[in-house]
Amino acid sequence: MSIQTPQKPLPGAYIQTPAVSRFQSYQSRQPNALSQQQNGKQQQSQALSQQGQSVQKGGQRSENPDIPPIERAAKALNQALSEESQYPDLDSYIGQGISSDYEVTSQPAWAPFQKTRMHPIPDRIFEQYNRAQVSTIMGLFADFNHAWVAIDNALYLWDYTHPNPDLVSFEEQPHTITAVRLVKPRAGVFVPAVIRLLVVATTADIIIIGLSAQPAPHGGQSIALYSLKMSAPVKGLDINIIEGSDSTGRIFFSGRVSDDVYEFTYQQEERWFQNRCTKVNHTQKGYSAFTPATFFGQRAQQETVVQIVADDSRKLLYTLSSRSKIRTFHMKGNGVLDLVITKPLGQTLSNVGHMTSQSELISPSMAIVSISAITAQEATKTHLMASTSTGCRIFMSATSSYGNYSSSSNAPTSMQVQHVKFPPADATTSNSTQVNPYANTPSINTSSRSLFPTRNAIRYAPGYFLAFIVKDQQSGTDLLFVSGPDTARIARPQDQQRLTRYAELALWLNLGSRAEDVGLATEPFSASFSPVGFGNELAVQFDKPTSEIAILTNTGVHMLRRRRLVDIFAAALRLGGGDEGLEGEVKKFIRQYGPGETASTALAVACGQAIDVTSDSRLARILDSDVLEHARKAFIEYGGKPMFNENSMLDQSMPPIDLVQPSPRHRGLARYISRLVRSVWRAPIIKEMLTPTGGLIISSSVPMVKLKEISQDLTKLKEFLNVNRSFIEGLAGPEALGNVKTKQDEVCLQAEHRALHALVVLIDNIIEGLAFVLVLYDEKIEETVLSLANEVRQQVRNLSYEDLCTTALGKQLAKGLVKAIVNRNILSGSNVETVAEALRRRCGSFCSADDVVIFKAQEYVKRGSEAGADSDVCRDYLNESLRLFKQVTGSLSMEQLHWITENYVSLQFYAGAVQLCLNKARESDRGGRALTWIQEGRPSEDKRIEAFEFRRRCYDLVHQVILSVERSRMESPDMVDGHLTLAGRRREEAADEIDTSDDEVFQTDLYDWYLQENRSDRLLEVESPYVITYLERRSSDDIAHADLLWKYHLQHERYQDAAIVQLALAKSQFVLSLDQRINYLGNAKTNASTTRPGIVRSTRTEVLREVSDLLDVANIQSDLLQRLKGETRITADRRPQVIEELNGPILPLTVLFNTYCEPAFYFDLCILIYEAADHRVASDIKATWQNLLESAHTQAELANDGPQPYEMVAETVRTLGNRLGLSETMFPVADLLPMLKRYAFNFQNNVGPGTWVVDIFTDLQVPYEAIYAVLENMFYNDEAPFQGRNRRLIGNDVVYVARAWFQDSIRGSGTVFGGEDNALAVSEMLHTVMQSGLDERRLEECQNLRMRIENMLR
């Protein structure tokens, strides 16, 4: 649905309103509003016609004559860049006063930050931690992607982004480490390799260690430590705070015993002296400066420094004390540090009291928990932000004498509170706590306790705020509140008449643990080098990496990523909930940020600029077809309408088309282009430098990679506009004029087309200009520039990308450079092909040049054929022809490609044929549409199918080459006498080209072809990462591909991956029998158990555990299935349904238990389910065992010719005990032995051997000690039915077990009963048992056994 931008009803000037209506009342006008509006349109159309005629008759044009499209577009682009550079500075929206403007979102789509991943702490660190004796502290070096932990006297560093990092350790000193900091060294003191200093404070010394960093193979940084032998004694200071100055290399520190600020000084001298390092106390002078403070009898707690912050932009050092006192020091030259401002908490409260006196959040009971410096680059007035324990942010400004704001050379003399940002509202805040300091402004919540108690807080430019709140003191875990400026609303506030408000987007995150440190993992943010424009995140969202913040907890490093506006918009479209929800999201975006910003953002999303975190914690572009389509619709349908400038209607000197203001869609397009090219637009294309010997070195002022990225983004934008040209109002062409109804609409449409067409032309020019610069640097640019005339060379030196792409002089200079390149190639002996190469790479529209190259290459093919396929001359001609064909691949027709392939195959130039076909396929689809179509599941009726079908026609030629190679192999062998033949080498070259191709679309089509030709064995032999991607993509809906996937992993010894695939198959919804699933799980268990270097142990253990658990469930289900197959209680019509349900997917344990096992009285399976489900309710387990014994007894009685009941019961217990592995929980001997004895007495008295119950447990190898202990308790408990004479039954078992235990314990050199105490206890027990009325045989055994025990104890 299209939204038409409403126009302002200015009386007498509104273009759709007749001028005579300005004096009519609303009541008199309302009945005829529709007719008068139509009349107004007709009159305005006549006025437009008359105005156009008067301009033509008068022979006058606009004051700004019609300019070329490229100049018009350049003007729009520069205007967009100018608007971006005028982003409000921090001081403009943090003025004198208070605020609490937050939008705390609970919707993931609108979250300003998102957690990308969590890097766990390595196990090796925990191993060292377990050995800690005194203290342990942790921290981050986020700019190097490293974390550290100090355990007693040892310091360990590791790259937290690496899955299995190596530890870098420092253990060369014996004292406990109290603080660690990474600082920049002073210039010129150390070798260039030392880029940082690792400052380590101990209980005795402060030490500096050199640190170097090199790029690591996995993409991070590898660091190394160097001993500098620099230290200073600090015994008694108990250092806990260290801070460094990046610009000067100075190192400051403080301890827990006083609020003194020390400096660690170091220098390099001609000779290495011992005292080249020392400490300096900047807050005390004289002897006390070198003596640690000691306190005796002091009642009040000593005030100490809790934080030191350096601001190099102003040469200031701030300290925060334990009593919330803030001190400001001026860092002068020659190692001077002057205390210039001391601001106690009382002064801060007094300053705030002038702004509001109604808040309990700003009171003497609060504390300042942290301070953050705000650099001069970010703000002129604002110097510091203090965070309170109640969650308030206090912004402070410092001034020098005469009211001037401080600078790096002018120290401040006073500091005042400038602004207070109160916490966001919570559910308990009452209306009475809302204040309204200014008229017509939203109320401000001044008593919200949502951020209380804030333990720590930090701020990063341009306003990222992180507060760590401990709501539950017992758990000790932090709740993170994180907010950031709502840049789009600050840049373009909804109400232009009011002052800019400090609007923020915020969210809550539960870390689940305690934060130990926070660090910025990316470069500090800055969109400009001055406060105005500094915080414009919108301008750099496609130009600079997104800010990431690392948070170290006791569980790992959490990565927090700032989400760009384009990411938020894409997520809102993805989660919008259909077309109706989409419309609501887009309208919300328009209300908050305006139609122009909405159009720009929608366009960026449609061009694939949005990024989100995938399920495997990777950052990937959002290329979902639904999201791209919604963004396309938003840009097209919500782009607004062009508007007439009614205030200029009386200016008859201007044509009507110049009175039209283009639509927000035009502004959005210009804004998007400006954000893509902002880093290169005004940069020179070359940068000259002289070598020490006087030679000339010319390099690019912009990295080549950046130029290629911009070119790719602009190419995607161009493709988007071309594809949607017919839907975009203003680009649709002349046919769109058929839809206009009035002259006004026609003029507006013409103006819109003129503006949009100009931007399209500019896009083409920039793409071509960037391509030309890339070509320029591919050549020998120094020789090319030196061949120019001095005047031209100076102009080239001053040529910027803007001039190159938008001015006639830029085009002229580019032509001069092309001419210089051609002349240099001619002088070097090159011919027409060199000229064609230069022309093609600069502009691919020169068909004549491509034709020349094609004809020349075809001539080389003919010459090669005449020379003979086996000659070296033929091979040279074919290689040269291939080189030329590659230059003009995009201009080759399919007929020409067929001709080339046939000739190459006939001359056995198989590798060249494959290369050319793959190049043609790639050239036909540079945007990768075919690949995205494949990745999105090959949707039908998709325009990208055309790109894939064309590529497949090229791939079919490669298939023909493969068949020709195989036929050739049948005609001639590869090896003769152990040597590779010429034909064999050519066949190997073709195979290498095919297997090593990085064209994923080709590899996908090739693997499809292999399977169609029943060549799965060939697929398993391919060494390519695309095989796994292909099989994973196809495995979701085809079990054959899934089987190939795990077989491929096995063949390449990736056992862990094979196990994961087999586990997924066992859990899948494919039509598989239960035995097949068990087979998959068995194989998965075997593969997961196989160890191999490079496999993460935790992952392997997790997979093995999951497989084992599921295999246990599957075995239970298999037992249940076999039992139900022979179950007579199931009806004939129900049986097939039950078997089908069980002989398929592995069911949850609850289903197996509640639906089948318990209703069917399969008590042994119920106990197995208890074991698998870790159900440990003793009463349930005991009751189920009792039911099992009764069930076994009943079954034995019903079976006339079966075993005795006691035999059935014994075998049931013995079998289940073996299966349970004698689990103490599921096989409780203390319950089962009495249970079986009671059963034997009540139901099997005098049946079978008297010791059959005890024999069950001894057969299961239950320790004799455990059996004896249970029997002893039964004997002494005197419980029914073993009372009176029946106690002898227990006594008989006691004698039986004691004798067996005795014989077992004396085997070899063992100690009787495991020790003398046990032997004495057994002897006493036997003495007691002898008095219980044992039968004669047992009594004799008992006496003999007791006598043997007594003899051995003597």
Side-chain angles (χ1 to χ4, degrees):
M1 176 180 178
S2 176
I3 295 180
Q4 184 173 358
T5 305
Q7 300 175 348
K8 297 181 180 179
L10 302 179
Y14 183 45
I15 197 164
Q16 295 184 349
T17 306
V20 295
S21 64
R22 74 174 70 180
F23 302 109
Q24 297 177 357
S25 65
Y26 177 78
Q27 291 78 4
S28 64
R29 198 173 38 181
Q30 186 177 8
N32 299 320
L34 183 61
S35 61
Q36 292 193 9
Q37 182 178 3
Q38 184 65 29
N39 294 335
K41 287 187 177 182
Q42 295 176 357
Q43 294 178 14
Q44 187 58 50
S45 298
Q46 296 174 1
L48 290 172
S49 300
Q50 294 173 1
Q51 183 175 355
Q53 293 172 3
S54 65
V55 171
Q56 293 176 0
K57 290 180 181 180
Q60 297 180 359
R61 302 288 295 172
S62 168
E63 293 182 2
N64 296 321
D66 193 19
I67 58 178
I70 190 63
E71 294 183 21
R72 186 180 302 278
K75 181 180 179 181
L77 181 59
N78 287 324
Q79 182 178 355
L81 289 171
S82 176
E83 291 175 355
E84 299 275 59
S85 66
Q86 296 303 313
Y87 180 85
D89 63 323
L90 183 66
D91 295 327
S92 65
Y93 55 87
I94 301 184
Q96 190 76 18
I98 61 175
S99 66
S100 64
D101 191 359
Y102 297 89
E103 183 174 340
V104 182
T105 179
S106 60
Q107 302 178 8
W110 289 81
F113 294 85
Q114 65 183 157
K115 286 179 65 175
T116 57
R117 67 189 72 85
M118 196 279 281
H119 303 288
I121 296 176
D123 293 338
R124 295 171 61 188
I125 294 297
F126 286 113
E127 294 174 3
Q128 298 295 334
Y129 175 79
N130 292 332
R131 302 172 186 171
Q133 297 180 355
V134 180
S135 68
T136 302
I137 54 177
M138 302 175 67
L140 281 172
F141 301 147
D143 49 344
F144 286 93
N145 293 332
H146 273 65
W148 60 268
V149 59
I151 302 173
D152 297 338
N153 68 316
L155 176 65
Y156 301 99
L157 296 83
W158 73 94
D159 183 354
Y160 56 77
T161 62
H162 195 283
N164 188 21
D166 295 328
L167 296 186
V168 179
S169 62
F170 172 68
E171 302 172 321
E172 286 72 23
Q173 58 87 30
H175 305 291
T176 301
I177 297 175
T178 60
V180 178
R181 185 73 172 178
L182 196 65
V183 301
K184 288 187 178 180
R186 193 166 70 247
V189 177
F190 306 103
V191 296
V194 176
I195 60 174
R196 292 290 190 277
L197 294 179
L198 185 60
V199 186
V200 178
T202 71
T203 54
D205 305 284
I206 183 168
I207 309 166
I208 60 174
I209 306 162
L211 183 143
S212 66
Q214 297 292 334
H218 69 276
Q221 296 189 73
S222 175
I223 65 173
L225 302 181
Y226 300 95
S227 174
L228 303 177
K229 298 182 179 179
M230 289 187 173
S231 64
V234 291
K235 189 173 183 179
L237 294 184
D238 195 9
I239 297 174
N240 65 330
I241 304 294
I242 305 174
E243 180 64 16
S245 169
D246 290 345
S247 62
T248 63
R250 298 175 69 177
I251 301 172
F252 303 96
F253 62 90
S254 185
R256 295 185 179 91
V257 298
S258 69
D259 63 346
D260 293 337
V261 177
Y262 295 83
E263 180 177 357
F264 178 85
T265 63
Y266 58 95
Q267 62 183 356
Q268 182 185 36
E269 299 177 351
E270 295 181 0
R271 302 176 67 181
W272 294 90
F273 294 104
Q274 184 178 0
N275 296 327
R276 54 181 178 161
C277 305
T278 185
K279 67 178 187 294
V280 177
N281 190 330
H282 287 291
T283 51
Q284 292 188 17
K285 307 300 180 182
Y287 175 77
S288 60
F290 299 93
T291 306
T294 56
F295 305 94
F296 300 95
Q298 190 170 355
R299 296 182 180 179
Q301 185 178 1
Q302 173 65 26
E303 184 176 14
T304 61
V305 174
V306 297
Q307 188 180 4
I308 303 176
V309 177
D311 180 2
D312 289 318
S313 65
R314 296 185 174 93
K315 295 185 178 181
L316 297 179
L317 188 76
Y318 305 101
T319 67
L320 174 66
S321 75
S322 56
R323 298 177 185 174
S324 300
K325 178 174 67 178
I326 298 174
R327 291 182 296 176
T328 304
F329 297 85
H330 186 213
M331 296 184 289
K332 294 183 178 180
N334 299 322
V336 177
L337 185 71
D338 287 342
L339 175 63
V340 292
I341 301 174
T342 299
K343 195 171 186 65
L345 179 61
Q347 288 188 14
T348 303
L349 296 176
S350 176
N351 292 162
V352 177
H354 292 289
M355 302 176 184
T356 177
S357 58
Q358 305 178 23
S359 175
E360 59 184 13
L361 302 182
I362 306 295
S363 65
S365 62
M366 73 160 196
I368 297 178
V369 296
S370 70
I371 55 176
S372 298
I374 299 175
T375 64
Q377 184 182 358
E378 185 176 0
T380 302
K381 295 189 300 182
T382 310
H383 286 53
L384 191 69
M385 186 198 81
S387 302
T388 71
S389 58
T390 56
C392 296
R393 281 177 278 170
I394 303 175
F395 294 88
M396 300 183 178
S397 62
T399 57
S400 59
S401 56
Y402 308 107
N404 297 322
Y405 293 103
S406 65
S407 62
S408 59
S409 59
N410 189 16
T413 56
S414 65
M415 178 175 287
Q416 300 294 325
V417 173
Q418 180 175 335
H419 188 89
V420 180
K421 187 70 179 281
F422 284 91
D426 55 14
T428 61
T429 304
S430 63
N431 293 332
S432 62
T433 62
Q434 309 290 323
V435 299
N436 192 336
Y438 308 108
N440 301 322
T441 59
S443 298
I444 299 173
N445 192 326
T446 60
S447 62
S448 169
R449 300 182 65 83
S450 59
L451 300 186
F452 178 82
T454 296
R455 180 178 65 85
N456 195 8
I458 194 168
R459 178 190 185 275
Y460 295 110
Y464 310 146
F465 175 65
L466 290 81
F468 299 91
I469 300 98
V470 184
K471 291 293 186 181
D472 186 358
Q473 296 291 341
Q474 294 182 351
S475 67
T477 60
D478 285 335
L479 192 62
L480 174 60
F481 175 81
V482 56
S483 65
D486 193 348
T487 311
R489 270 205 292 173
I490 294 175
R492 296 169 184 86
Q494 299 176 1
D495 191 347
Q496 300 289 346
Q497 304 300 322
R498 296 178 183 168
L499 293 175
T500 303
R501 295 165 53 194
Y502 186 12
E504 287 187 283
L505 294 173
L507 80 159
W508 291 91
L509 291 174
N510 191 350
L511 295 179
S513 53
R514 177 184 173 88
E516 303 292 342
D517 199 4
V518 186
L520 192 62
T522 53
E523 291 291 331
F525 178 88
S526 65
S528 70
F529 298 102
S530 61
V532 176
F534 176 88
N536 194 351
E537 295 179 275
L538 301 176
V540 298
Q541 57 182 327
F542 314 122
D543 187 45
K544 291 187 176 183
T546 307
S547 297
E548 286 194 5
I549 300 171
I551 303 173
L552 175 64
T553 69
N554 52 16
T555 58
V557 180
H558 302 259
M559 300 305 298
L560 202 63
R561 173 181 175 268
R562 171 64 164 173
R563 298 181 74 208
R564 307 170 300 171
L565 191 65
V566 63
D567 303 331
I568 293 175
F569 186 69
L573 295 182
R574 175 185 283 176
L575 305 177
D579 292 340
E580 183 176 353
L582 167 68
E583 183 177 352
E585 296 292 342
V586 175
K587 288 183 177 179
K588 178 181 177 180
F589 227 78
I590 293 175
R591 286 194 305 270
Q592 290 193 206
Y593 306 131
E597 192 61 53
T598 303
S600 175
T601 307
L603 181 59
V605 174
C607 292
Q609 290 284 2
I611 294 176
D612 200 0
V613 180
T614 63
S615 58
D616 55 350
S617 300
R618 292 183 301 105
L619 292 178
R621 290 183 181 268
I622 298 179
L623 300 177
D624 299 353
S625 57
D626 292 342
V627 176
L628 300 185
E629 176 62 19
H630 290 332
R632 184 190 73 87
K633 290 175 62 178
F635 176 74
I636 294 173
E637 299 179 5
Y638 296 88
K641 298 285 185 181
M643 293 176 53
F644 244 94
N645 185 357
E646 302 89 350
N647 296 326
S648 302
M649 282 297 297
L650 299 179
D651 187 358
Q652 298 293 323
S653 63
M654 296 183 64
I657 193 173
D658 289 342
L659 302 178
V660 177
Q661 179 182 352
S663 66
R665 183 187 298 107
H666 170 268
R667 295 198 302 274
L669 176 58
R671 196 171 291 163
Y672 178 59
I673 298 172
S674 72
R675 290 169 180 173
L676 292 179
V677 303
R678 69 182 300 274
S679 61
V680 304
W681 190 240
R682 294 187 173 92
I685 65 171
I686 68 171
K687 181 172 61 175
E688 291 186 357
M689 292 184 295
L690 294 177
T691 64
T693 58
L696 178 65
I697 297 178
I698 296 179
S699 60
S700 175
S701 61
V702 180
M704 294 291 105
V705 175
K706 183 64 177 179
L707 297 180
K708 292 177 182 178
E709 291 177 354
I710 296 173
S711 180
Q712 291 171 359
D713 291 337
L714 289 173
T715 301
K716 291 179 182 178
L717 174 60
K718 177 183 176 181
E719 290 177 355
F720 173 84
L721 296 176
N722 288 338
V723 170
N724 297 280
R725 180 182 296 273
S726 58
F727 305 103
I728 300 174
E729 182 177 344
L731 287 180
E735 60 272 12
L737 293 174
N739 299 325
V740 300
K741 297 180 180 179
T742 64
K743 183 67 175 178
Q744 172 203 346
D745 295 339
E746 179 181 349
V747 173
C748 288
L749 184 60
Q750 290 174 350
E752 181 77 359
H753 173 76
R754 184 178 69 172
L756 289 178
H757 172 70
L759 291 178
V760 171
V761 173
L762 177 62
I763 294 172
D764 289 334
N765 279 21
I766 297 176
I767 294 174
E768 186 175 346
L770 295 176
F772 167 73
V773 174
L774 292 173
V775 170
L776 189 62
Y777 282 96
D778 285 340
E779 300 289 334
K780 296 181 179 179
I781 187 171
E782 287 85 0
E783 296 181 9
T784 302
V785 173
L786 289 174
S787 66
L788 300 173
N790 291 335
E791 182 181 355
V792 177
R793 180 179 169 185
Q794 181 61 38
Q795 291 175 333
V796 170
R797 188 183 293 117
N798 298 329
L799 182 65
S800 66
Y801 285 89
E802 177 186 5
D803 297 332
L804 175 65
C805 300
T806 62
T807 64
L809 176 62
K811 293 292 183 182
Q812 182 180 350
L813 293 175
K815 290 179 180 179
L817 287 170
V818 168
K819 184 177 179 181
I821 292 173
V822 173
N823 291 336
R824 188 182 59 80
N825 281 274
I826 292 175
L827 292 175
S828 63
S830 302
N831 51 21
V832 67
E833 59 201 307
T834 305
V835 179
E837 166 72 7
L839 291 174
R840 186 192 72 81
R841 298 186 66 178
R842 181 189 171 195
C843 179
S845 61
F846 296 144
C847 296
S848 58
D850 287 352
D851 288 340
V852 170
V853 175
I854 292 173
F855 294 152
K856 192 170 186 64
Q858 288 175 339
E859 182 65 24
Y860 280 131
V861 175
K862 292 180 181 179
R863 291 182 183 179
S865 177
E866 294 170 356
D870 294 334
S871 66
D872 293 337
V873 176
C874 173
R875 188 61 45 178
D876 293 337
Y877 281 134
L878 293 179
N879 285 327
E880 184 64 17
S881 68
L882 176 62
R883 185 182 69 82
L884 296 176
F885 281 134
K886 284 183 177 180
Q887 295 176 6
V888 293
T889 304
S891 300
L892 290 175
S893 64
M894 286 305 299
E895 292 78 9
Q896 291 171 328
L897 193 62
H898 273 280
W899 182 88
I900 297 167
T901 304
E902 290 174 359
N903 282 273
Y904 277 179
V905 170
S906 65
L907 297 172
Q908 297 184 357
F909 192 36
Y910 307 116
V914 172
Q915 284 187 33
L916 190 59
C917 292
L918 296 182
N919 270 17
K920 178 62 180 176
R922 190 180 295 108
E923 283 289 325
S924 67
D925 184 26
R926 292 186 178 181
R929 293 181 297 165
L931 179 58
T932 59
W933 177 73
I934 292 174
Q935 292 172 341
E936 293 172 9
R938 309 189 182 199
S940 58
E941 299 181 2
D942 194 301
K943 293 181 179 180
R944 294 171 294 181
I945 296 178
E946 298 177 2
F948 175 78
E949 290 297 333
F950 186 88
R951 296 186 73 147
R952 192 161 66 176
R953 291 171 62 189
C954 300
Y955 302 149
D956 288 340
L957 294 177
V958 179
H959 302 161
Q960 297 302 319
V961 174
I962 295 174
L963 295 175
S964 299
V965 169
E966 294 178 352
R967 287 193 296 268
S968 171
R969 183 173 286 110
M970 297 175 63
E971 296 173 359
S972 62
D974 289 340
M975 305 289 291
V976 174
D977 296 333
H979 297 284
L980 189 65
T981 63
L982 178 62
R985 185 171 68 251
R986 292 173 178 175
R987 288 190 286 265
E988 281 193 357
E989 292 173 355
D992 289 340
E993 288 292 339
I994 292 170
D995 292 341
T996 60
S997 172
D998 60 353
D999 186 348
E1000 187 175 351
V1001 182
F1002 163 68
Q1003 296 289 0
T1004 301
D1005 180 76
L1006 178 64
Y1007 304 151
D1008 284 337
W1009 183 71
Y1010 280 153
L1011 297 180
Q1012 291 171 6
E1013 298 291 323
N1014 296 323
R1015 301 184 180 191
S1016 58
D1017 55 338
R1018 177 71 183 93
L1019 179 60
L1020 296 178
E1021 295 172 357
V1022 175
E1023 287 282 351
S1024 172
Y1026 298 116
V1027 177
I1028 298 177
T1029 303
Y1030 167 79
L1031 291 176
E1032 287 177 345
R1033 188 180 296 132
R1034 302 300 294 270
S1035 295
S1036 59
D1037 54 4
D1038 187 4
I1039 191 172
H1041 287 86
D1043 279 331
L1044 283 175
L1045 179 57
W1046 67 260
K1047 290 177 182 178
Y1048 184 88
H1049 286 312
L1050 275 185
Q1051 184 155 332
H1052 294 81
E1053 299 183 352
R1054 287 191 282 267
Y1055 303 106
Q1056 185 79 7
D1057 296 331
I1060 292 173
V1061 176
Q1062 290 166 335
L1063 173 61
L1065 279 171
K1067 297 165 60 177
S1068 69
Q1069 297 301 316
F1070 289 126
V1071 180
L1072 295 171
S1073 67
L1074 183 59
D1075 287 340
Q1076 289 175 305
R1077 297 178 189 272
I1078 292 176
N1079 186 43
Y1080 279 127
L1081 289 173
N1083 293 333
K1085 187 173 183 179
T1086 302
N1087 293 325
S1089 302
T1090 305
T1091 59
R1092 190 170 178 268
I1095 297 178
V1096 180
R1097 182 177 180 183
S1098 60
T1099 304
R1100 183 176 70 86
T1101 304
E1102 182 179 355
V1103 173
L1104 184 60
R1105 182 173 61 251
E1106 184 178 359
V1107 171
S1108 300
D1109 292 346
L1110 193 60
L1111 185 58
D1112 292 340
V1113 178
N1115 287 328
I1116 295 173
Q1117 185 172 333
S1118 179
D1119 293 343
L1120 178 62
L1121 174 62
Q1122 299 304 321
R1123 202 170 291 185
L1124 288 177
K1125 286 182 178 180
E1127 181 62 68
T1128 59
R1129 293 176 290 175
I1130 304 179
T1131 60
D1133 55 344
R1134 170 65 176 159
R1135 187 185 306 277
Q1137 181 181 355
V1138 171
I1139 293 176
E1140 181 181 1
E1141 291 175 356
L1142 291 174
N1143 194 23
I1146 300 172
L1147 302 176
L1149 288 171
T1150 55
V1151 175
L1152 296 177
F1153 184 88
N1154 296 323
T1155 308
Y1156 298 101
C1157 294
E1158 188 178 52
F1161 306 125
Y1162 297 154
F1163 301 110
D1164 54 341
L1165 297 183
C1166 291
I1167 294 174
L1168 291 175
I1169 291 176
Y1170 290 160
E1171 175 72 8
D1174 200 20
H1175 182 76
R1176 297 176 177 270
V1177 180
S1179 59
D1180 292 346
I1181 297 170
K1182 185 175 180 181
T1184 306
W1185 272 106
Q1186 185 67 49
N1187 293 333
L1188 177 61
L1189 300 182
E1190 294 174 2
S1191 175
H1193 177 80
T1194 303
Q1195 291 179 12
E1197 288 184 337
L1198 294 176
N1200 296 326
D1201 55 349
Q1204 291 290 330
Y1206 84 91
E1207 294 175 332
M1208 175 72 78
V1209 170
E1211 183 60 27
T1212 300
V1213 175
R1214 198 176 284 113
T1215 302
L1216 193 54
N1218 281 321
R1219 193 160 178 181
L1220 291 172
L1222 298 181
S1223 168
E1224 294 182 1
T1225 305
M1226 300 301 157
F1227 195 84
V1229 177
D1231 294 330
L1232 290 178
L1233 182 55
M1235 191 185 300
L1236 287 168
K1237 289 297 294 181
R1238 285 192 294 272
Y1239 165 79
F1241 180 87
N1242 294 327
F1243 300 98
Q1244 298 290 293
N1245 199 1
N1246 296 324
V1247 178
T1251 60
W1252 71 268
V1253 173
V1254 176
D1255 289 339
I1256 295 174
F1257 297 92
T1258 58
D1259 292 344
L1260 291 173
Q1261 296 182 355
V1262 177
Y1264 291 107
E1265 298 95 318
I1267 302 173
Y1268 177 86
V1270 176
L1271 292 173
E1272 184 181 16
N1273 289 335
M1274 293 178 64
F1275 183 88
Y1276 283 120
N1277 287 343
D1278 197 25
E1279 294 179 354
F1282 305 109
Q1283 296 172 327
R1285 281 188 55 81
N1286 292 338
R1287 291 180 67 194
R1288 62 186 175 82
L1289 300 177
I1290 304 300
N1292 290 335
D1293 287 341
V1294 170
V1295 175
Y1296 178 75
V1297 173
R1299 185 182 64 176
W1301 187 9
F1302 176 83
Q1303 293 174 352
D1304 180 75
S1305 63
I1306 64 176
R1307 287 196 186 105
S1309 58
T1311 305
V1312 60
F1313 295 112
E1316 184 177 347
D1317 293 340
N1318 289 343
L1320 289 172
V1322 172
S1323 178
E1324 292 175 3
M1325 180 64 186
L1326 293 176
H1327 178 71
T1328 305
V1329 169
M1330 291 170 57
Q1331 303 172 6
S1332 63
L1334 298 177
D1335 54 60
E1336 186 175 344
R1337 184 170 62 87
R1338 290 297 184 196
L1339 180 60
E1340 183 179 355
E1341 290 178 2
C1342 183
Q1343 291 173 345
N1344 293 335
L1345 177 61
R1346 188 164 181 269
M1347 184 179 302
R1348 295 181 64 184
I1349 296 172
E1350 294 293 334
N1351 290 336
M1352 296 189 71
L1353 289 175
R1354 290 192 180 101

